[in-house]
Amino acid sequence: MGYIRFLLALSVVLSHAGGLQIIGRMAGGEASVQCFFMLSGFYMALVLAGNDDKATFYRNRFSRIFSGFWVASAFALVMSALAHDNILIRIYRADLPLSAKALSLFSNAFLFGSDIALFVDAPLGGLQFSPSLSSMTHPVFWYSLIPPAWSLPVELCFYLLAPYALRSMPRMLALLCASIAIRLWTYSAFGTVEPWGYRFMPSELAFFLIGAISFRLVPSATALPKLVGKLAMFTAIGLVVAFEALPSPWMLYVGVLVATPLIFAHVSLDGSRADRILGDVSYMIYLCHMAVIAYLPAIVGRPPISLAVIIAIGIAFALHRVAHPLDKWMRTVSCTAIEDPRSRRLSKRHLLSDPGQDL
């Protein structure tokens, strides 16, 4: 699944950079993030199928998220300082109430609250709920060091639920129905305006759950010819690249959902080294690209979009080489629990990289 994850991360980059003449923004930001949620559900179901140790599961997931986040945050902080727009100084000088400054500092340091910042305004009277991003007068999210990081607390909420929900089909179906009902309620109350369109965790849970349910199809997918898996991969790639020409975004969602177990069964198990590397670095591309796009013009001048994208990908590879050993170290020191031997056998036989490396 490395190629798919890389293209989805690249789509997020293009959505923020402005797109390229030939391929546009590909899947764009919203659709790509929701596809990442589906892939995350699939891989978390896979991990939990071979490991009953909740402590190990939580340790691995949290270390993966935070190691990359902190490395990308350090890079973004340096870039903001070089661009003479130090985020810490900007928060200090901002005409915001103390509660808003505290939320900004805490979410930038510890991630939690990055999603909440999208739903609150901060006039001088204090934090207050806002029905849309466009109606905010003092947005807290303007002071986010890594704007795309809002999706990571959402992902962490999914991880907290996963050991209790993903092993039971009735629980998954019940939660899926509840998530769909909440999405219908928010649609009736707020429409599709941001941030309700795709940033509200209870609504986004449906994508994570249908991804987890698709994992149950792997045995059936394995029985099909290998050619089907390769066709599924090329179809998914085509849907991501040609997304802007599709009549409905749901064609991408359904295509990725159907293709995932087929690709896993027939392609990922025999995947190439390039596929693994691109999948590994996709998370860092997602995290660091905004610092390049936002601050590079103030440092060296505005490069062409294509060059900015290439620079962002190159920096992501370099930062991944820092985050990966940090992730391993955090897993070693954060918990003394020993992984279930079944989990180790599963990862050696079935995983080409840590399955928790999706967004």
Side-chain angles (χ1 to χ4, degrees):
M1 299 298 295
Y3 294 122
I4 307 298
R5 287 155 55 191
F6 175 79
L7 288 174
L8 291 173
L10 182 59
S11 296
V12 177
V13 177
L14 292 175
S15 72
H16 293 142
L20 296 174
Q21 185 174 2
I22 298 176
I23 58 177
R25 292 173 171 82
M26 295 202 297
E30 178 177 345
S32 294
V33 170
Q34 290 176 329
C35 285
F36 271 126
F37 287 155
M38 288 194 293
L39 293 176
S40 177
F42 178 91
Y43 279 119
M44 292 309 101
L46 169 65
V47 172
L48 290 168
N51 189 355
D52 295 327
D53 186 354
K54 293 185 180 66
T56 298
F57 176 81
Y58 288 137
R59 179 197 66 185
N60 291 350
R61 305 287 71 75
F62 277 67
S63 65
R64 169 61 182 173
I65 290 290
F66 279 98
S67 60
F69 172 72
W70 281 327
V71 169
S73 294
F75 168 73
L77 187 60
V78 170
M79 290 290 287
S80 71
L82 292 175
H84 305 289
D85 187 29
N86 190 297
I87 189 70
L88 299 179
I89 296 177
R90 185 144 54 92
I91 293 173
Y92 174 76
R93 294 176 176 175
D95 188 20
L96 295 174
L98 183 60
S99 56
K101 292 184 178 183
L103 175 60
S104 295
L105 290 172
F106 183 83
S107 60
N108 279 319
F110 301 105
L111 189 56
F112 293 101
S114 302
D115 53 337
I116 295 174
L118 294 164
F119 293 87
V120 293
D121 199 2
L124 293 180
L127 292 173
Q128 64 182 31
F129 167 78
S130 179
S132 69
L133 297 183
S134 60
S135 65
M136 294 182 181
T137 58
H138 297 78
V140 180
F141 69 87
W142 278 0
Y143 303 91
S144 176
L145 190 57
I146 303 179
W150 69 266
S151 66
L152 302 185
V154 174
E155 189 77 20
L156 289 172
C157 289
F158 297 161
Y159 293 165
L160 289 172
L161 286 172
Y164 304 96
L166 301 193
R167 292 193 179 99
S168 168
M169 181 62 77
R171 290 177 194 168
M172 285 195 290
L173 292 176
L175 287 171
L176 178 61
C177 291
S179 179
I180 294 174
I182 291 172
R183 179 173 289 276
L184 292 174
W185 173 78
T186 59
Y187 179 78
S188 64
F190 305 104
T192 58
V193 298
E194 294 289 357
W196 299 98
Y198 80 111
R199 303 177 194 263
F200 189 47
M201 189 281 292
S203 298
E204 297 307 302
L205 179 61
F207 288 95
F208 181 80
L209 291 170
I210 59 176
I213 291 173
S214 73
F215 172 70
R216 304 292 182 99
L217 301 177
V218 169
S220 300
T222 305
L224 297 174
K226 287 190 176 182
L227 178 62
V228 176
K230 293 182 179 180
L231 290 175
M233 183 182 71
F234 289 119
T235 299
I237 290 174
L239 290 172
V240 173
V241 174
F243 176 79
E244 293 182 331
L246 299 179
S248 170
W250 286 101
M251 291 184 65
L252 174 65
Y253 300 143
V254 174
V256 171
L257 184 66
V258 173
T260 299
L262 294 168
I263 296 172
F264 178 78
H266 296 295
V267 180
S268 293
L269 296 183
D270 302 317
S272 66
R273 183 170 179 268
D275 181 78
R276 175 179 59 80
I277 292 174
L278 291 176
D280 288 349
V281 80
S282 62
Y283 177 47
M284 193 56 70
I285 293 174
Y286 180 80
L287 289 179
C288 78
H289 74 275
M290 280 295 288
V292 176
I293 294 171
Y295 297 122
L296 194 62
I299 299 173
V300 298
R302 185 175 298 278
I305 292 176
S306 57
L307 180 59
V309 171
I310 293 172
I311 292 173
I313 294 173
I315 291 174
F317 272 91
L319 294 179
H320 173 71
R321 293 180 66 87
V322 178
H324 184 61
L326 177 61
D327 178 22
K328 287 187 173 181
W329 177 80
M330 290 175 62
R331 296 184 188 212
T332 301
V333 302
S334 62
C335 182
T336 58
I338 299 175
E339 291 186 5
D340 189 322
R342 290 178 299 167
S343 176
R344 291 195 294 270
R345 289 196 299 269
L346 183 67
S347 63
K348 288 179 181 179
R349 292 178 56 196
H350 296 295
L351 302 181
L352 301 174
S353 61
D354 178 2
Q357 295 185 60
D358 47 278
L359 300 183

